[in-house]
């Protein structure tokens, strides 16, 4: 008897770990979330079309960004809380778009797992839709991949892809960054989505569990406190770009912290002077520094340390820009200025964390 005839029934795709019915159920579960992100240029259906003309552009340059949420995802999986990690995913992408002056247009997500659980996946996508609504982007579609053998049953991975557009004559950074320009810092909501490999190591070394009360947030578990979603700065910055003329450059403070991200937007002749005592820092950063005896330079290269976005602005308009940002619900402070670069040193810090 051959192998085929010895089987009691024919092998199906589900036997290999892929459930098409679960995928179809997920599509139906997320449809209302996708439709809620409708905006000019996208009609809110699940698909891949966007109309630039309908969005009001005349001479646009397209800008694209892709990112994930790093090992913050591991924390979400371990405590079984999936409703905010999608906001992080959107934030990491659209905050990167805005630094070039680009208006967010649409977002796509990639969700890969070992075994698709429609309700859990829907919770993630609903978070993505919430992030899109906060940013004003259309959730245009995405991909769900069920790959048994590549991921263990509880594991999944996320990636996001955002596309924006900016009129050609309004691209950032501008070329006129000069000594005397003011550096504004927009406060973060916490760790955001960078440095979580170190965060997880420090939590382990401290002998804490995710269900323990957070040492820096009374009444909140450590896991939930650390899952505070990444702040989306897009609406506030778009208001500043629309209502003022002084924004010369922006930097999203992600991997590399203040040190690396600010350096990337400076011209060769300019240096940044930053006063670390000029902005408030969420308590989580004091705890991280003390728990691991992390040196200041390492903190500044790893975490946002309380500043999730910086803006370099003309000194004459700094108050106006700060006023618009504040009016849009963002806490902002003047944290430094641009000076002539001294030797090869691009960033100089005063004060301490």
């Amino acid at each position: 008897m051959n192998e085929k005839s010895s089987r009691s029934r024919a092998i199906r795709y589900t036997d290999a770990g892929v459930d098409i019915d679960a995928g179809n159920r997920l599509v139906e579960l997320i449809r209302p979330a996708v439709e809620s992100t409708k905006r000019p240029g996208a009609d809110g259906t699940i698909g891949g079309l966007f109309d630039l003309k309908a969005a009001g552009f005349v001479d646009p340059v397209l800008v694209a960004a892709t990112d994930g949420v790093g090992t913050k995802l591991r924390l979400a999986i371990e405590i079984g809380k999936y409703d905010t990690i999608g906001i992080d995913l959107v934030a990491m992408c659209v905050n990167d778009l805005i630094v070039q002056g680009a208006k967010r247009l649409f977002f796509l997500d990639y969700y890969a797992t070992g075994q698709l659980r429609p309700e859990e996946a829907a919770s993630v996508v609903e978070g993505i839709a919430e992030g899109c609504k906060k940013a004003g982007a259309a959730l245009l579609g995405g991909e769900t991949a069920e790959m048994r053998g590549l991921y263990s049953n509880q594991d999944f991975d996320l990636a996001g892809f955002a596309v924006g557009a900016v009129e050609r004559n309004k691209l950032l950074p501008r070329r006129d960054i000069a000594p005397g320009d003011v550096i504004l810092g927009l406060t973060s909501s916490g760790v955001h989505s960078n440095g979580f490999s170190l965060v997880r190591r420090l939590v382990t070394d401290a002998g804490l569990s995710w269900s323990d009360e957070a040492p820096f947030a009374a009444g909140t578990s450590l896991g939930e406190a650390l899952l505070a979603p990444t702040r989306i700065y897009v609406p506030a910055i778009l208001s500043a770009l629309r209502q003022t003329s002084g924004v010369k450059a922006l930097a999203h403070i992600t991997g590399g912290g203040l040190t690396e991200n600010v350096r990337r937007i400076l011209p060769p002749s300019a240096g940044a002077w930053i006063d670390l005592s000029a902005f408030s820092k969420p308590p989580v950063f004091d705890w991280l520094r003390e728990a691991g005896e992390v040196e200041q330079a390492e903190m500044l290269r790893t975490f946002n340390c309380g500043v999730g976005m910086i803006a370099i602005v003309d000194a004459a308009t700094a108050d106006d820009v700060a006023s618009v940002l504040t009016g849009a619900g963002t806490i902002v402070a003047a944290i430094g200025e641009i000076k002539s670069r001294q030797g090869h040193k691009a960033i100089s810090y005063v004060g301490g964390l």
Side-chain angles (χ1 to χ4, degrees):
M1 184 179 293
N2 61 40
E3 181 183 355
K4 183 176 180 180
S5 62
S6 67
R7 296 191 184 119
S8 59
R9 63 180 177 84
I11 295 295
R12 300 179 300 170
Y13 208 3
T14 52
D15 297 314
V18 180
D19 189 340
I20 293 174
D21 291 335
N24 291 336
R25 173 165 169 73
L26 174 60
V27 170
E28 293 308 311
L29 286 172
I30 67 175
R31 192 178 300 279
V34 173
E35 292 175 350
S36 72
T37 69
K38 179 180 178 179
R39 54 149 294 158
D43 62 7
T45 60
I46 300 175
L49 300 177
F50 192 94
D51 186 345
L52 276 173
K53 185 176 180 180
F57 288 93
V58 177
D59 184 25
V61 175
L62 291 177
V63 181
T66 183
D67 213 333
V69 296
T71 58
K72 188 174 187 175
L73 185 59
R74 180 80 263 160
L75 169 54
I77 292 169
E78 289 181 2
I79 72 170
K81 182 173 170 33
Y82 307 109
D83 58 336
T84 60
I85 202 72
I87 299 175
D88 287 293
L89 185 67
V90 175
M92 293 299 287
C93 295
V94 297
N95 286 343
D96 279 352
L97 290 181
I98 196 64
V99 302
Q100 292 181 278
K103 295 180 180 178
R104 64 289 173 260
L105 300 177
F106 59 85
F107 188 86
L108 300 163
D109 70 275
Y110 175 77
Y111 179 99
T113 184
Q115 181 178 352
L116 183 60
R117 293 176 172 81
E119 284 72 20
E120 291 179 7
S123 182
V124 173
V125 176
E126 285 164 4
I128 292 171
E130 179 64 24
C132 286
K133 287 189 285 186
K134 288 177 180 291
L139 179 53
L140 211 58
E143 166 68 3
T144 301
E146 192 173 16
M147 297 185 285
R148 184 72 62 87
L150 190 58
Y151 299 92
S152 65
N153 285 348
Q154 296 295 327
D155 286 346
F156 65 92
D157 200 6
L158 283 176
F161 311 86
V163 173
V166 57
E167 297 292 354
R168 195 177 304 273
N169 62 350
K170 294 184 178 180
L171 273 166
L172 296 178
R174 285 166 32 182
R175 297 181 179 180
D176 59 343
I177 296 173
D181 288 341
V182 174
I183 301 174
L184 299 178
L186 285 64
T187 58
S188 70
S189 57
V191 183
H192 284 184
S193 298
N194 293 99
F196 267 84
S197 292
L198 179 54
V199 171
R200 291 166 54 241
R201 167 67 185 271
L202 295 178
V203 169
T204 298
D205 288 353
L208 297 172
S209 69
W210 301 126
S211 60
D212 290 337
E213 183 178 71
F216 51 87
T220 305
S221 72
L222 180 57
E224 291 203 3
L226 288 170
L227 278 180
T230 304
R231 181 161 288 160
I232 293 175
Y233 298 98
V234 173
I237 292 174
L238 283 176
S239 294
L241 292 173
R242 184 172 57 252
Q243 298 178 43
T244 72
S245 60
V247 178
K248 295 185 176 183
L250 298 159
H252 184 199
I253 309 305
T254 55
L258 278 167
T259 302
E260 300 299 331
N261 289 285
V262 175
R263 178 186 288 122
R264 291 172 189 147
I265 62 171
L266 295 174
S269 61
W273 176 86
I274 296 176
D275 183 356
L276 297 176
S277 66
F279 54 91
S280 60
K281 291 165 280 294
V284 62
F285 295 109
D286 286 335
W287 179 76
L288 290 170
R289 188 184 71 249
E290 293 167 5
E293 299 180 355
V294 184
E295 296 181 355
Q296 178 171 288
E298 187 68 12
M299 289 289 295
L300 291 167
R301 287 190 64 200
T302 305
F303 302 112
N304 66 63
C305 294
V307 177
M309 180 78 71
I310 70 107
I312 298 175
V313 302
D314 184 275
T317 64
D319 288 344
D320 291 339
V321 174
S323 178
V324 172
L325 291 171
T326 300
T330 301
I331 300 173
V332 60
I335 65 170
E337 66 177 293
I338 299 299
K339 296 187 176 183
S340 295
R341 186 173 297 196
Q342 303 297 319
H344 295 291
K345 193 172 185 180
I347 314 285
S348 297
Y349 296 108
V350 297
L353 291 175

